[in-house]
């Protein structure tokens, strides 16, 4: 069974989600703990086996890209012990996320409009003008309702004191929501009796929330909204999710080559001829969206779609250009962005962040590299990152060179010992680090789905939870009041 | 002066292409230095033309040819009145106040940062050119008016680059032009921009036309390219590094940008096999006698 306490000489002890101390579970875990104690490991083993079979039968997979060009498709790694978030904890997360997403959308509208925040000296202009994802091509275009990020998946971690902190804003094409739902489907099957006892709030309505938000954007009105999910295709690591969401929402799954723009109207090529498209839920990056205005070598996008968007004939979700707001070099300014547009203090704090353009910060980071995470600002999914504690002298040297060459491209954060949670690992209950990615939909109002994707670092002691780097997952239970 | 411009571009493909989308930045600008009297664009096959103004204020005309075709022709016809006779006629401000003037201009219009900060293969950091250039880079002398330093820069460029028609690729890296010691007007403009930006002076690229009676690059007339730098007291001043001249009423500006890529006259995307052949471009520029 689980053994808590300080391990080795680690200076700080991560927060434990499940246990209050060595022997006592936190109150909201007691019911589950009693059950686990009563039924024992063999019952857990049976449940784990059952969940594996279910995942296989459902075909819940994801693709990992490594050294080779072709990805490897794997069964989604699921841990059967749920992560439980109390109603009170959720209130804070929910209000903090709504505040953040509202402010970031004001920020985007301002950047692509008047740029008051730059003129007022809150954001240094270099940050925006040297940002890869500031899209000059869309300056002056106002998307419907001034909303840019209809879907965001914001990563939250819990520090040693148990405080929820924002780690990353994912405002481009955040993935993982299908796994949030699949995890719930599996968990309902293997632990059915707990859902009522715990009054777990539902997450399965996510696709209908998203569909309503997409439908509301139709330039022809929501009654005749033809909606398409634009996927880069079967080789994309999130292709499972693209098919899942298209099926759940009952919308077309299409690739760029399945569509054509004629005189500023987007059409889907169907067996019965061209069919007008009103809303594109795109799961490809800006770079590839339109070869006419962005990368001309892209064969994934739709030529002319940005002009159709400018003409107001199609909605694109999330709006092109959203990526500048989740640029990791902009991230340290988000608390100021919240204060600037909303006149409020941030409800959820950032992780302390060092900017590599600042010489003092940079020197400090170089002197303490073993205790830092260094991240490339335009990368995601755990790529382009140095994890200090597990780094080698060679990799540290390499990153030092990279940072010096292009400081705007990197930030550093002190390693936060992510909170831990009990997991069922190969017949034993063991603690593993985890984070949380809740999903926020900005339609007529901002809605945070009560739950999210809890990602688990499966390797003992590891702090990297990304699925692409060998992370697992848990069902996430948010309790009703 | 009044000019009539005609600009025809013919694209031909060995096999049919389709779903062809084209953006044109061909319509001359209207600003304090020039006024567009008339402007029309036609295409072959015929198409429905739409327009918008891009981030840099350029007028973009765009259209699509969806059915299969092997040939695409665009024709611009525009009459433009140019007004700038003497580029030196502006009220200069003392050198000691110039820096503050520039900083203020950038503060008031954040998008001006693009013309200071932008770096690309076309306009790299001056450092990137250091290996290819053995001569000393011109320095900005802050004791004297900025315009004087910019004029020295203008005169320095022909010592680095010699005009050689067709010697570099469209949107080719500036460092390769510098390394071979020769290039076309784009490279001259990019080199000027690169050095001006290294001084912290906003500089931008201009694509346009030059009166063939002035042009010394001879042969057939095509579009021309030069640079503009922000000069305290004057605003944007055009520097034609290919001719070591300040631009005047013999020049017609069409599109501006951070570098030549932003100001490309024609950009397209189609389905089908790309052609190796260069587009066939014919430009005429005639002075119109006014009544």
């Amino acid at each position: 069974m689980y053994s808590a306490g300080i391990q080795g000489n680690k200076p700080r002890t991560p927060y434990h989600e499940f246990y209050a101390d060595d022997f006592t579970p936190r109150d909201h875990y007691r019911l589950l703990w009693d059950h686990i104690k009563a039924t024992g490991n063999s019952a857990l083993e049976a449940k784990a086996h059952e969940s594996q079979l279910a995942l296989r039968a459902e075909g819940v997979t994801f693709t990992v890209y490594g050294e080779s060009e072709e990805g490897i498709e794997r069964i989604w790694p699921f841990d059967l012990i749920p992560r439980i978030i109390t109603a009170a904890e959720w209130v804070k997360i929910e209000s903090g996320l709504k505040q953040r997403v509202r402010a970031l959308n004001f920020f985007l509208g301002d950047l692509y409009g008047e740029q008051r925040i730059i003129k007022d000296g809150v954001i240094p202009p270099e940050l925006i003008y040297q940002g890869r994802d500031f899209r000059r091509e869309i300056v002056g275009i106002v998307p419907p309702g001034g909303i840019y990020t209809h879907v965001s998946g914001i990563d939250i971690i819990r520090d040693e004191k148990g405080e929820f902190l924002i780690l990353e804003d994912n405002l481009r094409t955040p993935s993982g929501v299908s796994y949030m739902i699949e995890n719930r489907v599996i968990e309902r099957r293997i632990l059915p009796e707990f859902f009522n006892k715990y009054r777990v709030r539902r997450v399965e309505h996510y696709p209908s929330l998203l569909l309503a938000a997409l439908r509301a954007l139709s330039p022809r009105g929501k009654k005749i909204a033809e909606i398409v999910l634009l996927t880069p295709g079967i080789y994309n690591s999130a292709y499972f999710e693209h098919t899942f969401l298209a099926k759940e929402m009952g919308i077309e799954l299409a690739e760029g080559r399945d569509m054509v723009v004629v005189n500023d109207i987007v059409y889907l090529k169907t067996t019965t001829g061209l069919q007008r498209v009103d809303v594109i839920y795109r799961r490809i990056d800006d770079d590839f969206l339109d070869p006419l205005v962005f990368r001309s070598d892209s064969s994934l996008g739709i030529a002319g779609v940005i002009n159709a968007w400018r003409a107001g004939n199609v909605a694109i979700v999330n709006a092109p250009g959203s990526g500048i707001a989740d640029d990791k070099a902009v991230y340290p300014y988000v608390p100021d962005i919240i204060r600037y547009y909303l006149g409020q203090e941030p409800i959820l704090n950032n992780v302390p962040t060092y900017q590599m353009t600042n010489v003092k910060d940079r020197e400090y980071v170089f002197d303490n590299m073993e205790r830092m995470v260094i991240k490339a600002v335009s990368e995601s999914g755990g790529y382009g990152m140095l994890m200090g504690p597990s780094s080698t002298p060679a990799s540290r040297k390499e990153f030092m060179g990279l940072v010096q060459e292009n400081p705007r491209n990197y930030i550093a954060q002190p390693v936060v010992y992510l909170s831990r949670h009990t997991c069922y690992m190969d017949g034993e209950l063991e603690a593993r680090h985890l984070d949380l990615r809740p999903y926020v939909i900005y339609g007529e109002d901002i809605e945070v789905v009560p739950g999210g994707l809890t990602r688990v670092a499966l390797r003992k002691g590891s702090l990297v939870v990304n699925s692409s780097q060998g992370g697992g997952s848990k069902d996430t239970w948010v309790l009703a009041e | 002066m009044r000019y009539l411009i005609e600009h025809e571009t013919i694209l031909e493909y060995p096999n049919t292409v389709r779903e062809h989308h084209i953006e044109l930045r061909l319509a001359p600008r209207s600003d304090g230095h020039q006024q567009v009297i008339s402007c029309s664009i036609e295409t072959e096959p015929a198409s429905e033309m739409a327009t918008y103004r891009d981030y840099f204020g350029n007028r973009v005309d765009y259209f699509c040819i969806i059915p299969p075709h092997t040939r695409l022709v665009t024709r611009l016809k525009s009459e433009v009145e140019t007004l700038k006779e003497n580029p030196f006629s502006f009220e200069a401000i003392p050198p000691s106040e110039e820096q503050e003037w520039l900083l203020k201009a950038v503060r008031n219009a954040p998008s001006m940062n693009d013309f200071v900060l932008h770096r690309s293969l076309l306009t790299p950091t001056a450092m990137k050119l250091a290996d290819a250039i053995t001569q000393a880079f011109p320095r900005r002398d802050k004791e004297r008016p900025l315009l004087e330093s910019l004029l020295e820069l203008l005169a320095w460029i022909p010592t680095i680059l010699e005009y050689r028609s067709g010697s570099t690729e469209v949107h080719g890296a500036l460092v390769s032009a510098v390394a071979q010691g020769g290039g076309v007007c784009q490279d001259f403009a990019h080199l000027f921009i690169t050095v001006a930006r290294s001084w912290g002076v906003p500089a931008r690229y201009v694509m346009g036309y030059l009166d063939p009676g002035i042009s010394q690059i001879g042969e057939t007339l095509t579009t021309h390219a030069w640079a503009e730098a922000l000069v305290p007291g004057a605003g944007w001043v055009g520097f034609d590094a290919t001719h070591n001249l300040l631009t005047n009423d013999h020049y017609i500006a069409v599109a501006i940008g951070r570098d030549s890529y932003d100001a490309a006259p024609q950009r397209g995307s189609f389905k089908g096999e790309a052609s190796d052949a260069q587009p066939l471009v014919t430009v005429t520029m005639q002075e119109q006698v006014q009544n």
Side-chain angles (χ1 to χ4, degrees):
Chain A
M1 291 292 275
Y2 171 77
S3 72
I6 298 170
Q7 296 174 342
N9 294 322
K10 201 179 280 176
R12 295 174 298 177
T13 311
Y15 182 84
H16 204 295
E17 303 271 349
F18 195 107
Y19 285 100
D21 62 39
D22 283 11
F23 308 102
T24 340
R26 297 187 187 278
D27 287 346
H28 54 289
Y29 278 97
R30 181 164 291 277
L31 196 61
L32 189 66
W33 188 68
D34 288 342
H35 175 78
I36 293 171
K37 268 205 314 188
T39 55
N41 275 17
S42 60
L44 283 177
E45 185 55 41
K47 300 259 184 218
H49 185 63
E50 195 185 333
S51 67
Q52 281 304 303
L53 289 178
L55 286 161
R56 209 172 281 271
E58 295 255 330
V60 185
T61 61
F62 74 109
T63 309
V64 187
Y65 288 89
E67 310 277 292
S68 68
E69 277 288 296
E70 269 177 59
I72 306 161
E73 203 174 6
R74 294 224 175 103
I75 294 289
W76 178 248
F78 169 79
D79 178 62
L80 60 100
I81 299 178
R83 184 231 196 115
I84 303 175
I85 296 173
T86 65
E89 287 169 342
W90 185 253
V91 166
K92 183 164 186 185
I93 293 175
E94 185 181 31
S95 55
L97 291 179
K98 284 184 175 177
Q99 179 194 50
R100 197 164 173 108
V101 167
R102 181 166 285 126
L104 288 172
N105 276 277
F106 280 129
F107 176 56
L108 284 164
D110 190 20
L111 283 188
Y112 292 115
E114 285 181 71
Q115 302 197 325
R116 282 190 300 125
I117 197 165
I118 298 177
K119 290 177 190 159
D120 287 344
V122 178
I123 297 273
E126 310 82 68
L127 202 67
I128 303 306
Y129 286 92
Q130 292 181 331
R132 212 190 63 182
D133 295 292
F134 178 60
R135 303 290 173 181
R136 288 151 187 85
E137 296 82 353
I138 67 149
V139 166
I141 308 179
V142 182
I147 303 167
Y148 289 79
T149 71
H150 305 87
V151 182
S152 36
I154 297 187
D155 292 343
I156 299 179
I157 60 172
R158 223 162 173 187
D159 68 8
E160 293 87 340
K161 297 191 293 279
E163 190 191 342
F164 290 105
L165 300 173
I166 304 279
L167 183 66
E168 263 177 34
D169 302 291
N170 297 291
L171 309 175
R172 303 165 197 217
T173 58
S175 60
V177 78
S178 57
Y179 301 114
M180 169 184 85
I181 297 168
E182 290 286 7
N183 285 352
R184 177 57 54 87
V185 170
I186 305 292
E187 195 80 303
R188 268 193 202 285
R189 201 175 297 175
I190 61 173
L191 295 174
E193 65 275 30
F194 287 95
F195 281 85
N196 278 334
K197 284 184 194 159
Y198 263 116
R199 301 184 59 221
V200 178
R201 296 179 65 185
R202 46 198 295 267
V203 296
E204 295 95 323
H205 60 305
Y206 175 87
S208 61
L209 280 179
L210 177 57
L211 183 61
L214 295 175
R215 198 177 276 284
L217 294 169
S218 170
R220 290 190 293 170
K222 53 185 154 193
K223 291 245 164 64
I224 35 172
E226 182 65 32
I227 307 169
V228 166
L229 191 154
L230 172 61
T231 174
I234 57 168
Y235 295 111
N236 187 266
S237 61
Y239 189 69
F240 167 82
E241 177 155 308
H242 305 162
T243 59
F244 176 93
L245 287 174
K247 199 174 66 186
E248 291 287 317
M249 291 191 281
I251 64 173
E252 293 288 340
L253 179 69
E255 294 183 33
R257 60 179 178 211
D258 303 325
M259 283 178 266
V260 60
V261 177
V262 185
N263 296 332
D264 283 345
I265 309 272
V266 184
Y267 295 94
L268 186 66
K269 301 170 187 167
T270 74
T271 48
T272 54
L274 295 182
Q275 192 177 343
R276 180 168 172 176
V277 173
D278 301 291
V279 182
I280 299 171
Y281 177 41
R282 50 86 176 235
R283 295 295 298 258
I284 66 176
D285 288 342
D286 286 356
D287 271 343
F288 302 102
L289 196 53
D290 183 346
L292 188 60
V293 297
F294 299 126
R295 269 177 64 165
S296 59
D297 59 347
S298 166
S299 55
L300 301 173
I302 313 164
V305 74
I306 293 295
N307 286 339
W309 185 54
R310 178 185 295 103
N313 295 333
V314 70
I316 302 176
V317 172
N318 287 344
S322 300
I324 186 66
D326 77 9
D327 183 316
K328 291 185 180 70
V330 170
Y331 164 90
Y333 291 90
V334 176
D336 287 335
I337 287 170
I338 292 171
R339 290 180 196 108
Y340 183 78
Y341 293 107
L342 305 180
Q344 298 169 354
E345 277 306 301
I347 297 167
L348 294 171
N349 287 318
N350 271 8
V351 174
T353 302
Y354 300 99
Q355 293 173 49
M356 297 298 90
T357 43
N358 178 322
V359 179
K360 269 191 185 155
D361 276 14
R362 190 160 73 219
E363 276 168 10
Y364 179 78
V365 168
F366 285 167
D367 287 343
N368 294 278
M369 273 178 105
E370 290 95 329
R371 293 191 278 126
M372 296 284 170
V373 186
I374 301 178
K375 296 174 178 175
V377 296
S378 320
E379 299 276 347
S380 64
Y383 296 100
M385 187 167 103
L386 177 89
M387 268 305 240
S390 56
S391 63
T392 60
S395 64
R396 287 197 290 275
K397 199 172 162 211
E398 184 201 336
F399 259 77
M400 240 187 222
L402 289 171
V403 170
Q404 273 163 335
E405 197 172 304
N406 189 357
R408 165 64 179 76
N409 207 32
Y410 293 89
I411 56 161
Q413 293 166 335
V415 172
V416 175
Y417 286 90
L418 309 184
S419 60
R420 297 191 298 176
H421 197 290
T422 301
C423 298
Y424 184 72
M425 306 287 303
D426 299 323
E428 294 296 330
L429 287 173
E430 291 187 17
R432 290 289 184 272
H433 294 286
L434 45 69
D435 78 348
L436 174 67
R437 175 180 289 185
Y439 294 90
V440 186
I441 292 183
Y442 199 163
E444 273 166 17
D445 204 357
I446 303 180
E447 196 145 355
V448 188
V449 178
L453 182 65
T454 289
R455 300 182 300 177
V456 184
L458 291 178
R459 246 179 337 109
K460 191 168 193 151
S462 166
L463 294 165
V464 182
V465 297
N466 305 77
S467 321
S468 48
Q469 312 283 327
S473 74
K474 282 175 174 297
D475 191 17
T476 309
W477 295 359
V478 171
L479 307 185
E481 302 272 349
Chain B
M1 304 182 79
R2 188 175 283 202
Y3 289 100
L4 177 69
I5 307 276
E6 290 183 278
H7 183 154
E8 181 187 69
T9 306
I10 303 174
L11 294 166
E12 283 184 323
Y13 301 90
N15 295 303
T16 57
V17 301
R18 63 202 154 81
E19 297 178 28
H20 203 154
H21 287 263
I22 299 97
E23 281 196 350
L24 303 173
R25 283 169 176 78
L26 279 180
R29 301 170 72 80
S30 270
D31 58 24
H33 302 315
Q34 59 185 45
Q35 197 125 36
V36 177
I37 310 296
S38 69
C39 179
S40 67
I41 299 176
E42 56 171 40
T43 71
E44 200 181 295
S47 65
E48 196 175 304
M49 195 74 75
T51 181
Y52 72 92
R53 220 160 262 290
D54 74 9
Y55 172 75
F56 302 102
N58 303 314
R59 185 180 124 180
V60 182
D61 293 278
Y62 66 100
F63 61 99
C64 60
I65 309 289
I66 303 300
H69 53 281
T70 54
R71 187 179 142 94
L72 174 68
V73 187
T74 56
R75 281 188 205 97
L76 163 100
K77 198 171 174 181
S78 182
E79 214 175 336
V80 182
E81 172 109 45
T82 59
L83 312 164
K84 183 164 58 172
E85 283 171 11
N86 180 2
F88 292 97
S89 65
F90 64 91
E91 211 165 306
I93 61 170
S96 58
E97 292 167 25
E98 284 190 322
Q99 193 56 25
E100 184 49 37
W101 190 95
L102 285 175
L103 288 174
K104 206 170 146 196
V106 175
R107 251 199 323 271
N108 291 340
S111 61
M112 198 71 90
N113 280 285
D114 264 336
F115 302 123
V116 187
L117 298 174
H118 180 67
R119 300 290 182 271
S120 63
L121 284 175
L122 307 171
T123 53
T125 59
M127 285 274 285
K128 287 250 160 66
L129 301 179
D131 286 343
I133 296 180
T134 45
Q135 289 104 308
F137 274 89
R139 301 276 289 270
R140 174 183 172 190
D141 180 354
K142 289 194 178 173
E143 305 291 308
R144 292 185 298 142
L146 173 60
L147 185 60
E148 288 181 21
S149 296
L150 289 169
L151 289 170
E152 280 171 21
L153 165 59
L154 191 65
W156 173 78
I157 287 174
T159 69
I160 305 298
L161 293 174
E162 178 188 67
Y163 189 86
R164 287 181 212 146
S165 174
S167 59
T168 52
E169 284 176 37
V170 180
H171 309 315
L174 178 59
V175 71
S176 34
V178 166
Q180 70 183 26
V184 297
C185 51
Q186 292 187 356
D187 304 302
F188 283 73
H190 285 145
L191 182 56
F192 183 93
I193 291 167
T194 296
V195 179
R197 284 184 191 159
S198 76
W199 295 347
V201 174
R204 64 188 191 183
Y205 180 94
V206 186
M207 181 272 291
Y209 304 101
L210 168 59
D211 187 329
I214 307 294
S215 174
Q216 290 160 20
I217 52 188
E219 64 216 64
T220 46
L221 187 65
T222 61
T223 56
H224 187 46
W226 60 93
E228 284 183 345
L230 195 65
V231 175
W236 291 108
V237 173
F239 294 83
D240 180 0
T242 316
H243 294 97
N244 192 6
L245 285 175
L246 291 194
T247 62
N248 56 17
D249 57 354
H250 297 295
Y251 290 75
I252 293 176
V254 174
I256 58 163
R258 295 165 295 176
D259 55 33
S260 65
Y261 189 81
D262 286 334
Q266 184 159 344
R267 206 175 287 172
S269 174
F270 58 83
K271 302 254 167 80
E273 193 187 325
S275 168
D276 296 333
Q278 289 292 315
L280 187 64
V281 180
T282 316
V283 174
T284 62
M285 181 176 182
Q286 288 169 316
E287 196 187 330
Q288 303 297 98
V289 182
Q290 290 178 60
N291 304 326

